[in-house]
Amino acid sequence: MSLLSVNDLTRNFGGLTAVSRANLHVDEGELVGLIGPNGAGKTTLFNVLTGVYPPSSGTIELNVDGTTTSIGGKRPNAICRAGVGRTFQNIRLFKDLTVLDNVRIAMQQNIPYSLLAAFTHAGTFGGKEQQIRDESEQLLAVMGLADKADELSRNLSYGDQRHLEIARALAVRPKLLLLDEPAAGMNPNETRDLTDLISQLRRDFGLTVVLIEHDMSLVMRICERIYVLDHGSIISEGTPEHVRNDPLVIEAYLGEEAPNA
Amino acid sequence: MTEFLQQAINALSLGSIYALIALGYTMVYGIIKLINFAHGEIYMIGAFVGYWTMSVFHLGVFEAILAAMIVCTVLGVLIERVAYRPLRRSTRLASLITAIGMSLLLQYTMMYFVGADPRAYPALPDYMNASFSLGGVVVKSQQLVIIGISVLLMILLQFVVKTTKMGKAMRAVSQDPEAAQLMGISVDRTISFTFAIGSALAGAAGVLVGIYYNSINPLMGIMPGLKAFVAAVFGGIGIIPGALIGAFVIGGAETAVSALGYSLFRDGVVFAILIAILIVKPTGLLGKNVREKV
Amino acid sequence: MGAVRNILRWLVPLGLAYGIVLALIQVGVINNYLFATMMTICINIILATSLNLVVGFTGQLALGHAGFMAIGAYTCAIITMRVDGIVGFVLGVLAGAVLAAVVGFLIGLPVLRLRGDYLAIATLGMAEIIRVFINNMGITNGAAGLSGIPRHVDWNWMFFFLALTLVFLWHYIRSAHGRRAIAVREDEIAAEAIGIDTTRVKVQTFTIAAFFAGIGGGLYASYFYVLQPSQFGFLKSIDILVIVVLGGLGSMSGSIIAAIVLAVLSTFLAQFTDLRMIIYSLLLVLIMIFRPGGIMGSREVSLGILGKVFGERKDPAAMVAPPIVKQDDEEVPSDEEVK
């Protein structure tokens, strides 16, 4: 059974069908790419998967450790706790909080303590807070942000902000990580580093990753399987080589005026 | 049945007055997203201007309404320029507190000059005091005047907003001030114009309330102002037809509660209705559910 | 060591404040009038810091704090008038706080789904409804109100409850729970995406704020011994909000300073009788125009000297941020938006 099974998923906005009868299956440990021209519905698909929009129809199932949960239409926070972490296309950090706090707020979700401890700073408070802090700092170190822990996240460089978003998403300890254009705005060097980092994170954290990306070099290099979305429908699926040579995909990207080579 | 029709007429008069005030709230909110708490005071000042026009200058009711509208227009535009414009780029809460400050300022300045005691409105001409019976339903001619003037002003407003260039500018600015500016619309002038129209309507409402309740005082703006605002939110704040529907619902509910003998619970019922509609439709009756772009 | 230092951070300033006031009372510097002003300040601090938790730290514009204060005040009054002695008083204050919290929870659950100005007007309406009920109930003696409530509040009791409120709220904000609230203020969608149940967080802070407003109300009833529904109108809620905004959203020390400044100001303005409110409202407008972020912005008073004495280092847990109540008008894209 796949980790993520999406069956006949449709999402309409008024008369517009942003995602149309999409079927996706992602196995545990896979690294899957989601590509398609602008306006194809990639981000909308992510938003439906993470509960920002409920699906108009269709089902989404998550199978973690042998138990299957239907997450279609659940609230984003419930879907997150079921094991799905994500980043946003237009970076949504807590901009006026420090780098450490951004990660802590996510990390603390796994290390809860009581309201009474919060009011008194007694009992389990000290130990739990220390644990939250230590684990957050470890994660920041992995993401190369250890020396920036006390900076306001709005003051980070663009690349660092993208890294921090990934760190925050990892802090909730997801099984499935959805990355929405993680390399957007990065130069080729940064993109290469990010590619390596994603592969490394997948190994170290035992993650399954689905990523939306426009940078084809990144997608073709690290994705094992690719889904191509156009006008809300999945028009092709397979290995990078297969997708690259699919005439439907070429047409979707180049438009109908493309020479029929 | 007669009783019902009787109350319906009362509800219609009260609703018309609320509608005139609610329109100002909703237009200002639509364009600068500010709850203009001072709007209730503009209406109070309109009532006093009407009072002086009739008692000091011995002019008629319609001249009084006109005078109130003119003075309130000037006042509304002035308040926007002096107090709200400097805060346009500031936080919503800072503007809100400023609006509350303006509201208190107008109340207590007025109180300083005219005293806190309520005063009776000048005697109305005979034709305004006439009443006639339609199948047992007593209709006062002043009620007809209130409803008539309100409807007239609302039609005029609809005409201005829908057909004139300024109306188009208002709609454009309320949708996207920056884009409107790029299209060559003067945002400042449009906002001033919106305050002008809203305040003029409130001024007229002030005189009509004076006629309706026959009593005015410097604090009279608070409750009707709040209720008109409730009406605007009920219908979906920023939406002109919504404000009208809201005003008549609130006016109707108040009249009904009073007629059933629970007038002490009147204000509570108004707010309960508001909360109920917001729980069902979080952006009001006609409000569109705007969703943040992700 | 860290724990001791943390305790000293609030114990020292509170202890100093308590001692100084006590000494001044003993010496006779604080007369009755001054004492009443101080009681008002303390009650206002309780009300403002608790409201700040909702408006400043969670970013939810609530305009009905007077409603919770009224519940606390009337509950405390009714109980102290029936149960004698200090037991009745403590019982009354706590019962009022609990009842206010329960009402806050029940109202917050449906209402806190609303955003921005819709939430503001709904909470304002809720407070008005509470007032209408008090106005029409037998046990509250309707519009005439209650008088002759036994006065139990002295400086010790007032200080006890004030300190309780401040210490609890201060700790709460600097905990995982408080950080969650701040995350909701900063970006609700991002907060949900990392598993935060935003509705639950909002209801939690709203309920806590109602609880402490209830305490403030109880102290008010017991000290001023006369209650009328008209004292808890819309303007009372606004008064509290003004303290919060003037002090700075998301600044506890700002709320404390603003409560003191406003009390001093109003004492000073008392001599102008007729012009008092005109000057007050004019100042309000001018302050907002020239200092819209409030006195403190969102910073806290760092205990400069004390900090040095106890070797306090800059604590990153003190999340200071410019907490702007989010501009909802940026959320223009509607349902039709695709991406």
Side-chain angles (χ1 to χ4, degrees), chain C residues 86-208:
Chain C
I86 217 72
V87 179
F89 164 68
V90 175
L91 195 69
V93 172
L94 293 181
V98 169
L99 190 60
V102 168
V103 173
F105 176 79
L106 293 177
I107 291 173
L109 217 47
V111 162
L112 284 165
R113 291 186 309 130
L114 304 174
R115 283 163 188 278
D117 299 319
Y118 287 97
L119 177 64
I121 188 72
T123 44
L124 189 161
M126 162 221 88
E128 285 296 309
I129 293 172
I130 291 173
R131 195 161 67 98
V132 168
F133 268 103
I134 292 174
N135 225 335
N136 289 289
M137 286 200 306
I139 196 164
T140 58
N141 199 24
L146 299 171
S147 56
I149 302 159
R151 182 189 266 185
H152 291 291
V153 173
D154 54 13
W155 171 239
N156 290 328
W157 278 115
M158 183 57 85
F159 180 80
F160 171 74
F161 282 112
L162 176 67
L164 190 83
T165 307
L166 291 180
V167 169
F168 274 12
L169 288 178
W170 183 266
H171 280 160
Y172 179 84
I173 290 160
R174 276 154 188 75
S175 73
H177 293 267
R179 280 197 297 267
R180 223 168 270 150
I182 293 171
V184 170
R185 174 189 78 196
E186 291 292 311
D187 188 332
E188 276 195 44
I189 288 176
E192 284 192 319
I194 53 172
I196 295 175
D197 184 340
T198 52
T199 309
R200 197 180 144 181
V201 170
K202 289 181 203 170
V203 172
Q204 190 183 74
T205 56
F206 195 68
T207 308
I208 292 168

Side-chain angles (χ1 to χ4, degrees), chain A residues 216-228:
Chain A
M216 283 305 149
S217 70
L218 188 155
V219 176
M220 294 298 167
R221 194 134 61 89
I222 63 170
C223 293
E224 287 142 6
R225 218 149 49 81
I226 293 172
Y227 284 96
V228 186

Side-chain angles (χ1 to χ4, degrees), chain A residues 5-177:
Chain A
S5 318
V6 176
N7 298 307
D8 280 340
L9 187 74
T10 298
R11 171 68 209 193
N12 305 312
F13 292 97
L16 184 76
T17 304
V19 176
S20 170
R21 300 184 72 87
N23 288 287
L24 272 88
H25 297 276
V26 181
D27 287 329
E28 189 158 352
E30 266 194 305
L31 204 170
V32 175
L34 183 61
I35 64 172
N38 284 323
K42 304 182 295 291
T43 296
T44 305
L45 180 59
F46 265 27
N47 283 340
V48 177
L49 291 180
T50 54
V52 176
Y53 305 136
S56 301
S57 66
T59 61
I60 308 167
E61 281 169 351
L62 197 67
N63 183 356
V64 178
D65 301 331
T67 46
T68 304
T69 27
S70 170
I71 57 170
K74 287 217 173 120
R75 303 257 307 158
N77 51 303
I79 293 174
C80 171
R81 278 200 303 272
V84 183
R86 75 170 290 181
T87 66
F88 294 90
Q89 189 180 347
N90 331 305
I91 309 180
R92 296 190 83 110
L93 291 169
F94 304 121
K95 287 206 178 65
D96 293 314
L97 304 187
T98 64
V99 169
L100 177 64
D101 279 332
N102 267 275
V103 177
R104 276 208 292 194
I105 289 169
M107 186 64 79
Q108 70 191 23
Q109 296 297 100
N110 309 309
I111 309 167
Y113 56 82
S114 73
L115 201 52
L116 189 67
F119 274 128
T120 56
H121 281 202
T124 54
F125 177 85
K128 292 286 176 100
E129 275 293 317
Q130 196 59 48
Q131 195 191 346
I132 292 169
R133 191 188 188 95
D134 291 347
E135 294 192 16
S136 301
E137 282 172 349
Q138 273 172 25
L139 195 53
L140 285 176
V142 172
M143 298 302 294
L145 293 167
D147 52 333
K148 302 190 172 94
D150 291 337
E151 279 184 42
L152 288 188
S153 62
R154 69 158 63 247
N155 296 336
L156 293 185
S157 71
Y158 199 70
D160 280 345
Q161 291 195 9
R162 290 237 174 252
H163 279 91
L164 178 55
E165 253 215 331
I166 296 175
R168 192 179 62 182
L170 287 174
V172 299
R173 295 176 190 160
K175 286 282 173 203
L176 174 67
L177 181 63

Side-chain angles (χ1 to χ4, degrees), chain B residues 46-51 54 119-124 206-207 210-211 214-216:
Chain B
F48 272 93
V49 171
Y51 171 83
M54 288 195 276
R119 43 181 86 193
Y121 231 54
L124 296 167
V207 181
I211 294 170
N214 191 25
S215 164
I216 59 172

Side-chain angles (χ1 to χ4, degrees), chain B residues 29 37 87 90 92 98 100-101 105 108 223 229 237 264-265 271-272 275 278-279 282-283 290-291 293-294, chain C residues 110 113-114 117-118 121-122 125 128-129 136 189 234 238 277-278 281-282 288 292 327-328 331 333 335 339:
Chain B
Y29 189 91
F37 271 105
L87 280 161
S90 187
R92 292 274 282 282
T98 308
I100 290 165
L105 182 63
Y108 287 96
M223 253 304 156
F229 178 59
I237 190 156
L264 283 172
F265 287 94
F271 286 110
I275 292 176
L278 287 183
I279 287 171
T283 49
V290 288
R291 189 172 261 138
K293 183 172 168 160
V294 178
Chain C
R113 291 186 309 130
L114 304 174
D117 299 319
Y118 287 97
I121 188 72
E128 285 296 309
I129 293 172
N136 289 289
I189 288 176
F234 159 61
I238 295 295
M277 282 306 288
I278 299 181
S281 47
L282 207 55
M288 281 300 116
Q327 300 273 32
D328 289 333
E331 305 175 6
D335 258 346
K339 283 183 76 172

Side-chain angles (χ1 to χ4, degrees), chain B residues 112-133:
Chain B
Y112 184 74
F113 287 111
V114 304
D117 295 332
R119 43 181 86 193
Y121 231 54
L124 296 167
D126 288 341
Y127 68 88
M128 291 280 283
N129 285 325
S131 61
F132 40 91
S133 173

